[in-house]
Amino acid sequence: MALRWRISALVAAAACTVAAAVGVLVHEFSRNRELSQARESARVTLDRAAVTYTRTGEVQGSGAALDAPGLPGDLRDLVEQGRRGTEFTTGPAGPAMWAARPAGSRVLSVRVDLTTTMRDIGALDASIVVAGLITTAVVLPLGVLTAGRMSRRLRTAAGTARRIAAGDLDARIAAGPRPRDEIADISTAVDTMAGALQKRLLGEQRFTADVAHELRTPLMGLVTAAELLPEGEAAGYVRDRVRVLGTLVEELLEISRLDAGAEHADMSPCPVGPLVRDVVARSGPATTVVGADETADTDGDADGLTDGLTDGDADGDAGAATVRTDSRRLERILTNLVVNAHRHGRAPVVVTVSGDGRTVTVRDHGPGYPRTLLDDGPQRFRTGARERGTGHGLGLTIALGQAQVIGATLEFGDAPDGGALATLRLPAVPPPAGADPAGPAER
């Protein structure tokens, strides 16, 4: 049950409880007062009748009776013991208050009829019930209105928190004055947290971008110096490390642009099959392409491509499928996925293109993605691999960010029979330029 209706039910229950409690108290107070007055009246009448009976031996006209047939048995027994007393009864003759005392060998008693009094108390009870219902009918809508307002404010806070968690750091809960209560305190705390988080992330993004830019100048000097080294094993090693450093700097620059939202897709018709074959041809290790009009087993050059589909797998129209997307970014995504599959998985690596060209999967036959990646997504500088130095953890981060720029979805999972499986789904309708990339890392 929603909080709104829980509060409303609580308000209704509280109103009914208060009305019932007040009704019971008023009923008991009124009844006890009337009975007390009737008891006192019966005693006074009985005392007067006793005086008259002592003087005249008669009770006629005094309001009393001798040995009245309707006298309650318990009261009669009390009088026979030589005592006096009163008793309230509700017999067939109606409610009444009896008072009795000894009169020689006889019993002198007075009966005060309370039918009208009890009827008035019943009418009072009915009025209390009606008043309670009216009070509940008035209070309940006010409770629903107040609870609804509180619920809307809480839903707004929850929705804003979800937007912040999804990456919208500009989201804030409230604008304008708020009532000073606990919900307002929560809203203020969430807004303050979002502002602090935004400043921190923007600072980290600026730091990443500044570092990458500052590294480019000395890196170009290193590249030039490495080319001037005399040929040899040491020179080859230096050039390789400089190349790795250059790749890292370029990836950092790319991530900084994705973080800043500076990347915009340039949409145009793109034949997916040929693009996949080009990516596979440049990937280096042997890769199998399924559904792109041909199967490729390549060792780094296009000559390794062979015509035809993998047996029984693919749609013959996949190679001719054309989608509207940013071909440069799509190539970047697929290249990173294939390289990641070879680096962290095991052969064979299989790239499958759907018949309409909108779904591309990259699968290896290694141990699969780490659980942290499946739970939290790619995270930069965290490869999840046991061995160190085999990657910077940026490939899948960039692939995910570029997929968001072109409006595609990139999902990571494990194949049922083992191996990592990345699924890229291109949108049927390309989004407007300027998507907001997301960040986390790679195995």
Side-chain angles (χ1 to χ4, degrees), residues 130 185 225 281 397:
V130 172
D185 292 341
T397 302

Side-chain angles (χ1 to χ4, degrees), residues 46 98 114 165 185 208 315-316 332 372 399 402 405 417 432 435:
L46 181 63
W98 288 87
L114 296 179
D185 292 341
T208 301
D315 190 334
R332 176 70 161 141
T372 54
Q402 294 290 8
V405 171
D417 54 346

Side-chain angles (χ1 to χ4, degrees), residues 109-305:
S109 63
V110 173
R111 181 182 184 274
V112 178
D113 185 73
L114 296 179
T115 301
T116 301
T117 301
M118 292 298 107
R119 186 182 300 116
D120 292 342
I121 292 177
L124 178 63
D125 292 343
S127 299
I128 293 174
V129 171
V130 172
L133 293 176
I134 294 175
T135 302
T136 302
V138 172
V139 171
L140 183 58
L142 296 177
V144 172
L145 182 63
T146 303
R149 189 164 177 267
M150 293 173 58
S151 180
R152 284 192 298 273
R153 293 171 63 197
L154 289 173
R155 283 198 299 269
T156 299
T160 303
R162 283 192 290 268
R163 288 170 55 195
I164 294 172
D168 183 6
L169 298 182
D170 292 323
R172 296 295 183 271
I173 292 176
R178 314 175 197 168
R180 298 311 307 169
D181 54 19
E182 288 79 2
I183 299 178
D185 292 341
I186 293 175
S187 301
T188 302
V190 172
D191 287 349
T192 303
M193 177 195 68
L197 181 62
Q198 185 177 37
K199 290 180 181 179
R200 180 174 180 178
L201 291 180
L202 290 176
E204 292 179 355
Q205 292 171 6
R206 283 194 297 270
F207 175 76
T208 301
D210 292 344
V211 168
H213 280 289
E214 292 298 326
L215 286 175
R216 296 189 79 177
T217 300
L219 177 62
M220 294 306 299
L222 284 176
V223 172
T224 303
E227 294 299 327
L228 296 177
L229 291 175
E231 294 297 331
E233 182 178 352
Y237 180 77
V238 170
R239 293 189 187 104
D240 178 70
R241 293 298 91 192
V242 169
R243 178 186 58 79
V244 172
L245 180 60
T247 300
L248 174 60
V249 171
E250 292 301 324
E251 288 180 344
L252 288 174
L253 285 172
E254 185 172 359
I255 286 179
S256 68
R257 291 193 299 270
L258 290 171
D259 286 340
E263 295 286 323
H264 304 288
D266 182 14
M267 298 298 185
S268 62
C270 172
V272 178
L275 186 144
V276 170
R277 293 195 299 272
D278 290 343
V279 168
V280 168
R282 292 194 301 271
S283 66
T287 304
T288 301
V289 180
V290 178
D293 258 356
E294 49 185 274
T295 301
D297 291 315
T298 176
D299 291 321
D301 55 41
D303 295 338
L305 296 174

